[in-house]
Amino acid sequence: MEGAMVSALTGALNSLLFKLNDLLGSEHKSLKGLRGEIGFLESELRSMNSMLERLADMEEIDAQTKEWRDRVREMAYDIEDCIDLFVHHLGSLTGKAGVIKKMAWRIKGLQLSHRISGQIQELKARVMDESDRYRRYDTMNISSMSSEAHLHRDASGSRTRSVDPRLSALYTEAERLVGIDGPKDKIIKWLMDTQGGISQRLRTMAIVGCGGLGKTTLANQVYLEVKNQFDCSAFVTVSQNPDVKHVLAKILSDVSGAIGGALADEHHLINKLREYLQDKRYFLVIDDIWDAQTWRIIECALVKNSQGSRIVTTTRINEIAKSCCCSYGDQVYEMKALCATDSKRLFFRRIFNSDERCPPQLREAANNILRKCGGLPLAIISISSLLATKPKSLDQWDKVKSRINYTQENSPDIETMAWVLSLSYFDLPHHLKTCLMYLSIFPEDYVIKKERLIGRWIAEGFIHAKQGESLYEIGENYFNELINRSLLQPVDIEDDGQVHACRVHDTILDFVVSRSNEENFVTMVGASDLTSTPTGKIRRLSFHKNSEGSVTMPTYLLRSHVPSLTTFLHAGQVPPLLGFYGLRVLDLENCSGLKNHDLKSIGRLIQLRYLNIKGTDISDLPCQIRELQYLETLDIRSTHVKELPSAIVQLQRLAHLIVDCHVKLPDGIGNMQALEELTGFSVFMYPSTFLQEIGKISSLRVLRVVWNYVDFQGNAETYKENLAISLTKLGTCYLESLSLDIHGHDEEDDFSLHLWTLAPCRLRKLYIGRWHPISRIPNWTESLANLQYLHIYVKRINQEDLRMLGSIPSLLTLYLFSDEAPKEKLTISSQGFQSLTFFKIHCYHMGLVFEAGSMAKLEYLHILISAFQVKSWDGSFDFGIQHLYCLTKVYAYINCYGLTAEEAEAAVNAIMISVDTIPNCPKLQIDRRYAPL
């Protein structure tokens, strides 16, 4: 399936090649006489695709080559449209039918074959023309272009090498810096800490953050202030394409004064460095690391002595920062953007040489510009340096604000920002460049839900399948990687670190929009500072709001060739769907004013893969939805739809049915064998036999079941049995995520999961309870070898439950809630929870103690326990938290019921003292949930 991937850089060529290859393997009679032509197209386009992939890695290409690339991409889209329509018609000519209908199909097939033959001849002529053009103009001088890709033209037009603008960070005077004292002091305090035995070990701090935050500046200021307190020191920059030998030679030269190291090989340099640093207290700053392999080579030279040596690294990538800090006592420092006050100081100081001398008439414009800069020091400096050269007038500042674009503004300062952003962009693999560029569809400051974004990536063809992973899992990896590279800002973050949404920093969005315009990837209509004019046919159309509240449809809009449409407008401002016959993605989420009649022509969108009407006023789906035979995702949450039409079960490719639990599902849902995700159904809305239908959907990966006793008067036993049978079946197939929400629980009815005869061995995520508990933890829980996330609410917890849960080998996140606990001591032993990183446990009357060596990887602890119970065992308040060496955050809610005020204070102090003994000083928050006696 790798060939099915769509890319912003090669267009639909990869996807098209996959479809042509699939078509060649078809046995359909209508293809008779066309296989040779299709084979020719496939061969020629494969060669062109190889050229486009090589061009995609180049930062600059000449105008002639760019024109050829764009023509080939547009041609590939046109060919794909033709092939998709052809394949659809082929599908309509198959199936069971009577004699008369078969004769009609045969005549229709001959007509289709004749028509498609003519279209393929036309497309073949276009392909041959582009092949001839390539050979005639010899546009593919790839090797020479590659060596010059990082060059740019100066004012005279000659090509010159770029000077790394970060060099200025190394020579900026301290008094000119803003907002750096707090971070600098915090890092220096950590570096120079001399308390405890750990202070004599080699310790590393990694500074991580997006480009333009000032990581190099901060590291350099720390270096200048403390380097003289060490025996030797060095500051080296690695950069994106490093010469590791040169880096090692530079370190050796700085720490020892030795010269000529550049003539030695890497192995010799590593040995020389290790020999010299063996008994030295050294301090190194390794700036701008881009890959783990480079760091591993450099790390080989850095002796882990006991002299109190320190290393500071900087990087844009979270995973790299973590790889630098894999030893006990190391720490990752996440750099933050400047606050509003410091942003203004830096901005005004550059323009007016003062913190506060901004004229009143310019303050609002200044605030708008600073809002766009989002606290990035490099963005603030770039824009303020540009404004410093212009008249101090409101119209000039407004003009600059509307024209801020980090790749087109003709200013050396703006080019600096563009250079920094382009480093991150061109370091991305092709698929991540495409996924990042796709974000230009969304408006500024828009919060983008992760599931929505990934669903759209899948529908657009940006994600290709890998064995053992679902498309959504791969998309989630893409999403997390863009966050790790500091290109997306995480939003809506759970306590356990799960990110549910993101937004794009304005400076990065400007860069992405510019790239998208250049590639004719997304066309934006509405927002004046984002509106784009495509150079070819519109491929992805996004309607944005503007200050006037009205949108003018572009005259160049050819609706039939638009495969993707998104709107952030009122329904009355969006053109009718009739005519958008080529749509594959239709996203109308939160489109106010959208009514049932707006979807009356939905059945004509035969290529539709993704339909999102979440948050609209739609109350009924038309029965014509049965025509959407390629539909893969349907999201109707937060609408007025009460019941799905029976035609839904005819959608044999529908994989994601995203509905609220109160929406009634149709009979026959067990026939939807492509369904992978069903986000909710309420059990007692259906006869008990409906649960047997659910068990037939063997492809289900994600399932949410609502067990709601409210207003149910019947016997629940049959429901329990059928649910257990179905979940047992699904658990032996592909089920990976299961949520069981229990509401209105009858105390006399002991709801449990012990009826399951086989453990759902593939489960990675299990959510049980919420409003009401289950009686006890099922015995099969310890057999869930792949389980990574568990949220469970149980009536009473005991030591055996902790043993079972602790034996789950892959468990990373555990939410454990209980109403009751035994009076005897509950202990977390050193034998269990070997992989757990997040633990949240709430039980008002439970005492809990952590043994030495327990939960060796735990980073986050959120605990509500009874201090009275702990004290009753041995008279102390030793919770054992000091044994959790990897903790970075502790939230302790202490039930002080039964204690005196002095005892309650002693319990709080005991936790504080325990936490203080943990390396890296985890963040601590303590709350006394109940007042003491």
Side-chain angles (χ1 to χ4, degrees):
M1 286 291 290
E2 185 167 348
M5 185 174 172
V6 175
S7 166
L9 308 165
T10 61
L13 262 176
N14 270 313
S15 173
L16 175 57
L17 288 170
F18 176 82
K19 291 175 181 178
L20 289 173
N21 189 62
D22 199 39
L23 204 54
L24 286 171
S26 172
E27 299 295 330
H28 203 283
K29 294 180 180 179
S30 294
L31 290 173
K32 187 177 181 181
L34 297 178
R35 297 187 190 280
E37 311 290 0
I38 294 173
F40 172 83
L41 289 177
E42 198 265 351
S43 177
E44 287 292 302
L45 291 171
R46 191 171 297 281
S47 298
M48 291 180 182
N49 190 53
S50 298
M51 293 299 104
L52 291 190
E53 287 180 344
R54 295 171 69 182
L55 287 173
D57 291 324
M58 298 181 187
E59 297 187 29
E60 292 185 16
I61 57 177
D62 61 59
Q64 192 178 58
T65 304
K66 182 179 182 298
E67 181 185 5
W68 181 85
R69 178 201 66 184
D70 293 346
R71 290 170 66 94
V72 170
R73 285 197 306 212
E74 289 299 316
M75 179 183 66
Y77 279 119
D78 291 343
I79 298 175
E80 184 181 42
D81 288 343
C82 176
I83 296 299
D84 283 345
L85 194 59
F86 181 40
V87 170
H88 171 75
H89 287 310
L90 284 180
S92 68
L93 297 178
T94 60
K96 295 180 180 180
V99 176
I100 296 177
K101 182 169 277 191
K102 284 185 177 180
M103 289 178 64
W105 280 352
R106 186 171 300 174
I107 295 171
K108 189 176 180 180
L110 291 173
Q111 294 172 340
L112 174 64
S113 180
H114 179 73
R115 186 168 72 250
I116 203 70
S117 177
Q119 291 177 341
I120 287 180
Q121 290 300 326
E122 292 177 10
L123 295 171
K124 179 181 177 182
R126 286 181 64 182
V127 170
M128 293 175 66
D129 183 48
E130 294 305 331
S131 295
D132 291 342
R133 190 187 306 273
Y134 155 58
R135 285 187 286 267
R136 189 162 62 246
Y137 294 109
D138 189 26
T139 59
M140 293 293 101
N141 194 2
I142 303 294
S143 57
S144 63
M145 289 170 58
S146 297
S147 63
E148 296 180 350
H150 59 286
L151 304 178
H152 69 278
R153 295 190 182 277
D154 60 17
S156 65
S158 60
R159 295 182 71 81
T160 58
R161 288 190 177 275
S162 299
V163 176
D164 188 340
R166 291 166 301 179
L167 283 175
S168 60
L170 305 180
Y171 303 104
T172 302
E173 297 175 5
E175 58 269 19
R176 292 177 56 194
L177 300 174
V178 173
I180 204 170
D181 289 342
K184 181 186 71 172
D185 293 344
K186 185 173 183 178
I187 292 174
I188 289 176
K189 180 181 178 182
W190 182 87
L191 290 172
M192 307 310 293
D193 180 20
T194 58
Q195 296 182 357
I198 193 174
S199 65
Q200 296 307 308
R201 300 179 185 177
L202 173 64
R203 298 174 72 189
T204 299
M205 172 173 280
I207 303 173
V208 64
C210 67
L213 266 179
K215 300 181 295 296
T216 298
T217 303
L218 174 59
N220 185 57
Q221 290 301 309
V222 170
Y223 178 74
L224 293 175
E225 187 151 331
V226 304
K227 67 176 183 176
N228 292 331
Q229 301 181 46
F230 293 83
D231 297 336
C232 56
S233 61
F235 189 115
V236 294
T237 299
V238 177
S239 297
Q240 204 165 9
N241 298 299
D243 181 342
V244 178
K245 188 173 72 169
H246 175 76
V247 172
L248 294 171
K250 177 70 165 57
I251 297 174
L252 180 60
S253 174
D254 284 1
V255 297
S256 68
I259 58 174
L263 300 176
D265 60 24
E266 291 175 7
H267 182 71
H268 178 74
L269 288 168
I270 289 172
N271 287 338
K272 291 288 289 183
L273 270 169
R274 292 185 65 85
E275 181 182 343
Y276 184 81
L277 296 175
Q278 185 65 47
D279 57 354
K280 301 290 192 301
R281 185 171 184 259
Y282 61 87
F283 176 44
L284 304 180
V285 175
I286 315 296
D287 182 45
D288 199 28
I289 304 174
W290 285 81
D291 68 273
Q293 180 59 30
T294 299
W295 165 247
R296 283 193 287 268
I297 296 173
I298 296 172
E299 190 181 26
C300 291
L302 310 180
V303 178
K304 294 184 179 181
N305 57 29
S306 300
Q307 305 298 320
S309 298
R310 299 289 185 264
I311 298 170
V312 171
T313 65
T314 74
T315 181
R316 302 184 188 193
I317 305 171
N318 283 315
E319 292 304 316
I320 303 300
K322 292 177 182 178
S323 69
C324 294
C325 298
C326 56
S327 297
Y328 179 74
D330 293 347
Q331 185 167 327
V332 174
Y333 181 83
E334 187 174 345
M335 199 162 180
K336 303 297 184 183
L338 294 179
C339 65
T341 301
D342 285 338
S343 295
K344 288 183 179 180
R345 287 177 59 205
L346 181 60
F347 186 72
F348 294 146
R349 188 177 293 183
R350 176 67 184 89
I351 301 173
F352 304 110
N353 291 318
S354 167
D355 293 352
E356 298 294 338
R357 271 178 43 192
C358 178
Q361 69 272 19
L362 295 180
R363 285 175 185 165
E364 184 177 353
N367 288 336
N368 290 335
I369 292 171
L370 285 171
R371 194 176 299 114
K372 197 169 186 66
C373 292
L376 283 185
L378 187 55
I380 295 170
I381 292 169
S382 298
I383 301 303
S384 59
S385 297
L386 174 64
L387 289 170
T389 67
K390 296 184 178 296
K392 309 298 188 291
S393 64
L394 181 59
D395 63 328
Q396 284 288 335
W397 281 39
D398 283 341
K399 189 180 297 184
V400 168
K401 192 268 177 185
S402 65
R403 283 171 37 237
I404 289 176
N405 188 308
Y406 296 110
T407 60
Q408 295 180 359
E409 180 68 43
N410 186 21
S411 162
D413 299 296
I414 300 301
E415 286 180 5
T416 296
M417 192 67 213
W419 187 90
V420 170
L421 293 174
S422 66
L423 280 180
S424 290
Y425 176 77
F426 283 104
D427 186 62
L428 295 172
H430 293 176
H431 61 275
L432 288 185
K433 286 177 183 167
T434 301
C435 291
L436 179 65
M437 204 182 300
Y438 194 67
L439 294 163
S440 60
I441 281 177
F442 299 94
E444 281 188 0
D445 301 320
Y446 192 87
V447 175
I448 309 165
K449 291 293 185 181
K450 177 175 69 174
E451 61 178 19
R452 179 186 185 187
L453 182 61
I454 295 174
R456 293 187 53 149
W457 283 346
I458 293 171
E460 292 276 8
F462 299 160
I463 300 173
H464 62 268
K466 296 179 183 176
Q467 186 149 11
E469 289 185 279
S470 68
L471 290 175
Y472 188 88
E473 287 174 322
I474 299 168
E476 197 167 23
N477 290 336
Y478 290 1
F479 180 87
N480 292 337
E481 180 65 16
L482 289 173
I483 289 177
N484 286 337
R485 290 172 176 263
S486 305
L487 292 169
L488 297 183
Q489 296 175 327
V491 179
D492 190 11
I493 307 171
E494 296 264 7
D495 288 343
D496 60 1
Q498 287 291 313
V499 178
H500 296 292
C502 70
R503 68 162 56 92
V504 188
H505 193 287
D506 285 354
T507 56
I508 295 176
L509 181 61
D510 284 344
F511 178 85
V512 169
V513 166
S514 177
R515 297 293 309 184
S516 181
N517 287 342
E518 184 180 336
E519 308 289 348
N520 190 28
F521 189 62
V522 173
T523 301
M524 288 147 285
V525 177
S528 57
D529 56 341
L530 291 176
T531 299
S532 53
T533 302
T535 56
K537 295 175 183 175
I538 293 176
R539 297 302 173 187
R540 293 168 188 87
L541 184 59
S542 182
F543 292 102
H544 291 201
K545 295 179 181 177
N546 61 20
S547 55
E548 289 79 25
S550 61
V551 176
T552 303
M553 292 301 110
T555 57
Y556 48 78
L557 177 58
L558 296 175
R559 298 184 187 184
S560 61
H561 289 278
V562 177
S564 176
L565 189 152
T566 307
T567 183
F568 302 94
L569 305 177
H570 186 278
Q573 298 173 297
V574 182
L577 296 178
L578 189 64
F580 286 97
Y581 300 128
L583 276 182
R584 293 170 174 80
V585 173
L586 178 57
D587 194 334
L588 303 173
E589 181 170 324
N590 294 323
C591 182
S592 58
L594 191 72
K595 303 295 183 182
N596 294 339
H597 65 81
D598 293 312
L599 298 182
K600 63 183 180 181
S601 59
I602 194 77
R604 299 189 182 185
L605 309 182
I606 57 176
Q607 296 293 337
L608 202 61
R609 267 75 168 168
Y610 177 97
L611 176 58
N612 180 4
I613 55 173
K614 177 183 176 183
T616 65
D617 293 331
I618 297 294
S619 60
D620 287 299
L621 293 178
C623 60
Q624 289 85 355
I625 200 169
R626 67 165 65 90
E627 303 298 331
L628 307 182
Q629 286 301 308
Y630 295 98
L631 191 66
E632 297 171 353
T633 298
L634 175 62
D635 190 343
I636 62 168
R637 289 171 297 177
S638 302
T639 62
H640 300 297
V641 175
K642 302 296 185 197
E643 183 174 354
L644 292 179
S646 58
I648 287 290
V649 300
Q650 298 178 34
L651 303 180
Q652 291 304 303
R653 287 183 173 87
L654 190 64
H656 307 278
L657 183 53
I658 307 173
V659 298
D660 297 320
C661 63
H662 65 265
V663 176
K664 194 162 191 260
L665 304 176
D667 293 333
I669 196 170
N671 297 322
M672 301 180 70
Q673 288 305 301
L675 198 62
E676 297 181 12
E677 179 181 13
L678 179 57
T679 59
F681 72 94
S682 186
V683 169
F684 297 116
M685 287 178 61
Y686 308 89
S688 60
T689 53
F690 180 83
L691 295 176
Q692 297 175 354
E693 287 289 305
I694 296 295
K696 295 177 183 178
I697 312 174
S698 59
S699 56
L700 268 179
R701 293 177 181 268
V702 179
L703 176 64
R704 178 183 174 218
V705 179
V706 177
W707 190 271
N708 192 346
Y709 282 96
V710 178
D711 298 328
F712 179 69
Q713 303 297 325
N715 185 350
E717 291 306 314
T718 305
Y719 284 89
K720 284 185 184 182
E721 293 172 4
N722 287 346
L723 179 63
I725 292 170
S726 289
L727 292 181
T728 298
K729 287 181 181 178
L730 296 177
T732 57
C733 296
Y734 298 101
L735 192 64
E736 296 176 351
S737 176
L738 174 63
S739 176
L740 292 173
D741 286 359
I742 307 167
H743 298 261
H745 184 46
D746 184 349
E747 295 297 332
E748 297 180 0
D749 185 6
D750 183 21
F751 181 85
S752 68
L753 297 175
H754 296 285
L755 294 174
W756 282 27
T757 55
L758 291 173
C761 56
R762 288 179 177 266
L763 272 186
R764 297 184 182 182
K765 184 175 182 178
L766 179 59
Y767 189 111
I768 304 175
R770 189 167 190 168
W771 305 113
H772 290 275
I774 58 174
S775 59
R776 61 188 179 91
I777 296 174
N779 294 329
W780 46 257
T781 304
E782 58 185 323
S783 302
L784 302 179
N786 297 302
L787 194 68
Q788 298 177 356
Y789 176 103
L790 176 60
H791 183 293
I792 193 164
Y793 181 12
V794 62
K795 284 183 181 178
R796 182 182 180 87
I797 193 169
N798 55 45
Q799 190 66 48
E800 174 61 16
D801 293 331
L802 292 177
R803 185 203 64 77
M804 280 197 300
L805 296 177
S807 66
I808 303 174
S810 301
L811 192 61
L812 301 174
T813 300
L814 174 59
Y815 289 83
L816 180 57
F817 300 91
S818 180
D819 291 335
E820 305 172 17
K823 293 184 178 181
E824 63 268 19
K825 183 177 183 179
L826 290 180
T827 303
I828 302 292
S829 74
S830 60
Q831 304 302 313
F833 301 105
Q834 295 300 307
S835 301
L836 201 69
T837 59
F838 176 94
F839 185 32
K840 185 172 185 177
I841 181 168
H842 277 205
C843 184
Y844 299 118
H845 308 294
M846 177 187 66
L848 185 68
V849 174
F850 298 90
E851 285 187 353
S854 62
M855 294 188 172
K857 296 181 179 180
L858 192 69
E859 299 175 5
Y860 186 109
L861 176 64
H862 192 299
I863 189 169
L864 192 161
I865 54 176
S866 168
F868 179 81
Q869 288 286 2
V870 174
K871 176 179 177 293
S872 66
W873 297 328
D874 58 11
S876 72
F877 295 106
D878 184 6
F879 300 90
I881 295 176
Q882 68 273 15
H883 300 312
L884 308 176
Y885 298 121
C886 290
L887 279 181
T888 58
K889 290 183 181 179
V890 179
Y891 291 86
Y893 294 84
I894 306 174
N895 178 359
C896 295
Y897 181 80
L899 300 179
T900 65
E902 292 77 12
E903 289 173 330
E905 193 66 29
V908 171
N909 289 336
I911 290 182
M912 294 177 64
I913 292 171
S914 296
V915 169
D916 283 342
T917 64
I918 300 174
N920 300 332
C921 299
K923 180 180 178 182
L924 173 64
Q925 178 179 324
I926 298 180
D927 178 31
R928 303 179 198 182
R929 182 53 64 92
Y930 294 95
L933 294 175

